[in-house]
Amino acid sequence: MRRGSLTFLPGSSTRHLVTSLALVSCLGLTVPAAAAGGHALDRTSGAPAALSPRPDDASRDATGLTAGFATVDMTWRAGAKPGQVGTEADTAAMIELWRGLGKVLLHGYHYQTLDRPVVFLEYATAWTLDHLEARVADIRYDVYNTVFEPGRGLHTRATAKAMVLADGEDKVAVVRADLYLMQKHIWRRVTELVAEETGIPPEHILIAATHNHSAADAAFTAAGLASLADDFDPRHFVWITHRIAEAIIAADRVRVPASMGAIRSTLRAVQRNVIGPATGQAIPPGGTEPVDVPAGYPVDFFDDALWILYFNDLSSGERIGAYVVFGMHPESLEDGHGLLSSDFFGPMEAGLEKRWGCPVMWSPGALGDVEPDNGTNTGTDYWREDFAVLDQQVQVLVDAIGPVLETPSATDQVLPSRNDIDVDARLRLFAGPPNTNYPGPNPWMLPVTEYLSPEWPITCVRAMTETANLVLQAVRLGDVLLLGSPSEVTTDMALHIRSRVDDVEGDLYQGYVWPDAEPWVADYVDQNFDDSELTAGEGFAMPIVLSQVNDWMGYMVTRWEFDNRNHYRQSLTLYGDETANYLAASFEGLARELRGEPAVYSAWDDPSWADLDLEDDVYAFVADLDGWVSDWARDIPPSDPFLVGRVLQDPWLEDDGEMHVPAVHFQWGGGTSDLGFPRVIVQQDVGFGVWEDVIDETDPHLWLLYRSGGYWEAVWHLVDPSWQGNFRFLVTGVSRGTVAGVSDPDPLWDPEGMNRTYQVVSLSISVP
């Protein structure tokens, strides 16, 4: 079994979105006319195609629900670091990064003690702008890693998926983007890019990151996050913002009259509570010294809610899309695996699409303390395992979720499918609660982290968060309420918020209490949250809390979880022990707004107010990068004409691949990583000189590996023993030429039209 970098065998042989159809074609967005209406799938984005015509405006904007779905390939470049776990750090580069970050954090600690928050924000902003300028100046061709070792290739492609819904008066977009962390600057830029084409206001656009620990994500302006994923790459920021925007535009263009139904079920097939049992300390009433108390959670205590929103074409009755929500970290793959991957959810979505016959998009619910099981609950270890175990996990999920939509059980909550769905949304900036969790004379409404050390709680704006403010959003879809949080929502948080805004009075959930806890501990837990809630007439039948929406603000554990001990999620609860209650109360206010009550605005304090303008300074820098990318792309070096299209090693079979089955390998020369991943198809000889396509690299068992300079390898894992016969590889890729105008220009990525397509066909290989 080979692992690591490619080994080639010797002796081998041959700031404004242009929404014109030309740009959409150049970006490779495929939007076929849908027989059932309402969806656009980009399965072969390497082959340019034009947008389908808009459905008749009268039918799209008539009274009643219209819905459209779209999928756009947003796979980043070979060599990029896959999320949090993909490759090891480059020690020298990481040390250099933290030299600069250390200065920012120490200034934060210093100005806390002097009670000068605005001075700190100004300093941190100036440092961030200098750092971003240095990153732009340091960009190199055919290099997509900075403070980590390069990734080695591609397991499964990343996508941006969008659904756009309208009721004749209001329109909303709900997006799931395959990113490690969501960032406010990404959300802001996307809302600008889609405004003219779609008319959707920013407060009606919800973008949820998948929190994929194996996704490329080098779009952070908060440099501290570079120590988890990688440092800022202007090319990636421009790429993902435009790709997400294209998904929204495409979904809007294919809206058709539709009905929406919803199901709430349960899912306990592969998860666990990663916090687990713990021992904390708290001072009992009347006491003076802390005593040990049961803390944490049982490993089988987690938010097991599963929601499916489904949409049917009103004319044909055929399903046009489904939105699946449940909470679990996409953290299934082992450290150092090196491949860009959509973890469990990409193959799971594909499996459900095949089963249900429509586009499927997943967003994370309460994932803050929910991760793949390590064997404790289910008997199978799915956490940070290899790709073969990932296959097993995906099949378990498809088998568990598939029947819920097909035949809901008697215990499932079902909202019948209907067309008279009102859609609306609210988005507000909140200053955050006064944070007393730092050594300063006055509380600030600024994010503070204990991540570095419990003894050093440090203001972390610009270092770990892009902004000083909380972005919260509520989207109403009839009786369904989507609540978008920038945090990694924990089980306690999700259960409380839902009980606070649902249509059942008196069901307030305040937090988990261990059965053997003293009564005074239960009283303490009962103070986690206010006892306010919506009445039965005000509440929503199906509230759903989403994580990683529109920004990233760490975790938000309850007061009890914050106070009884130091731990990872507590140290990243950035507004102290009032964070969870503040967030829940703010969501209640948004829900009340959607029921017609007056808007709830938070009173700004000086630091948060001042940061709005400073935040704009950073945003203006990243929003103006389109021109830089265009200039960079114009100067991509020409590909090696003696390498492009050359077979370097015809297919060969290895008995034991990384998925513990035989694997067929093929190597060739092509364009560099600057030109994106090629498309690879495995074809089978079906007789009489006819070759039939049987596998492409959307299949998680066909991997693409890369070595700098334009050296490529396909690895096809023979997981299906029925594959027998003669097979070959067909590769279609892009190289950079020296003559302008040989292809349709792409204003961002090939402004002179100098890219050209190449193809490679391998010799055949017999698979027993």
Side-chain angles (χ1 to χ4, degrees), residues 116-131:
R116 299 176 67 186
V118 177
V119 176
F120 164 70
L121 290 171
E122 291 172 342
Y123 172 83
T125 302
W127 183 90
T128 296
L129 289 169
D130 287 345
H131 180 73

Side-chain angles (χ1 to χ4, degrees), residues 651-654 657-659 661-666 680-684 694-697 699-705 713-729 765-768:
W652 75 96
L653 182 67
E654 290 191 355
E658 287 187 47
M659 295 192 69
V661 294
V664 179
H665 299 248
F666 170 57
V680 179
I681 296 172
V682 177
Q683 297 181 316
Q684 184 174 19
V694 292
I695 295 288
D696 65 25
E697 90 288 0
D699 187 298
H701 308 120
L702 179 58
W703 301 357
L704 298 183
L705 307 183
E713 180 176 336
V715 183
W716 176 31
H717 297 88
L718 303 177
V719 296
D720 186 346
S722 69
W723 289 124
Q724 295 182 16
N726 292 322
F727 298 86
R728 71 181 187 185
F729 292 86
I765 184 172
S766 178
V767 174

Side-chain angles (χ1 to χ4, degrees), residues 104-135:
V104 177
L105 294 171
L106 287 174
H107 272 77
Y109 190 81
H110 174 68
Y111 286 117
Q112 283 172 191
T113 61
L114 298 179
D115 197 25
R116 299 176 67 186
V118 177
V119 176
F120 164 70
L121 290 171
E122 291 172 342
Y123 172 83
T125 302
W127 183 90
T128 296
L129 289 169
D130 287 345
H131 180 73
L132 294 175
E133 289 177 355
R135 285 295 307 121

Side-chain angles (χ1 to χ4, degrees), residues 553-695:
M553 276 286 176
Y555 295 85
M556 294 186 180
V557 302
T558 65
R559 179 186 288 118
W560 172 248
E561 271 293 285
F562 190 96
D563 290 346
N564 68 49
R565 70 196 189 287
N566 295 316
H567 56 96
Y568 173 75
R569 285 158 179 79
Q570 177 256 8
S571 68
L572 287 175
T573 296
L574 302 180
Y575 292 94
D577 62 7
E578 278 295 316
T579 302
N581 186 52
Y582 182 89
L583 188 82
S586 301
F587 274 135
E588 180 187 338
L590 292 177
R592 291 184 181 279
E593 278 192 59
L594 289 171
R595 289 302 195 197
E597 295 189 23
V600 177
Y601 290 97
S602 179
W604 294 103
D605 69 338
D606 288 343
S608 292
W609 185 255
D611 191 50
L612 292 177
D613 288 336
L614 295 169
E615 175 192 317
D616 283 346
D617 292 342
V618 178
Y619 175 71
F621 179 89
V622 296
D624 198 38
L625 287 171
D626 285 12
W628 180 90
V629 164
S630 182
D631 290 341
W632 169 87
R634 185 177 286 108
D635 294 330
I636 291 175
S639 302
D640 182 351
F642 298 103
L643 178 65
V644 172
R646 181 184 174 197
V647 174
L648 301 177
Q649 180 67 27
D650 275 308
W652 75 96
L653 182 67
E654 290 191 355
D655 291 336
D656 186 18
E658 287 187 47
M659 295 192 69
H660 316 301
V661 294
V664 179
H665 299 248
F666 170 57
Q667 295 176 342
W668 73 96
T672 66
S673 59
D674 295 320
L675 303 167
F677 281 93
R679 294 282 173 173
V680 179
I681 296 172
V682 177
Q683 297 181 316
Q684 184 174 19
D685 183 356
V686 295
F688 305 102
V690 176
W691 290 87
E692 182 179 277
D693 297 349
V694 292
I695 295 288

Side-chain angles (χ1 to χ4, degrees), residues 46 639 644 670-672 675-678 732-736 755-758:
S639 302
V644 172
T672 66
L675 303 167
F677 281 93
T732 303
V734 175
S735 64
R736 174 54 64 94
N755 288 350
R756 57 184 69 211
T757 301
Y758 72 87

Side-chain angles (χ1 to χ4, degrees), residues 33-34 37-38 52-67 166 168 171 251-258 313 315:
S52 61
R54 288 178 178 273
D56 178 72
D57 285 342
S59 67
R60 293 173 69 250
D61 296 318
T63 300
L65 181 70
T66 57
K171 189 191 299 185
D252 185 46
R253 294 180 70 91
V254 297
R255 282 187 296 116
V256 296
D313 187 299
S315 299

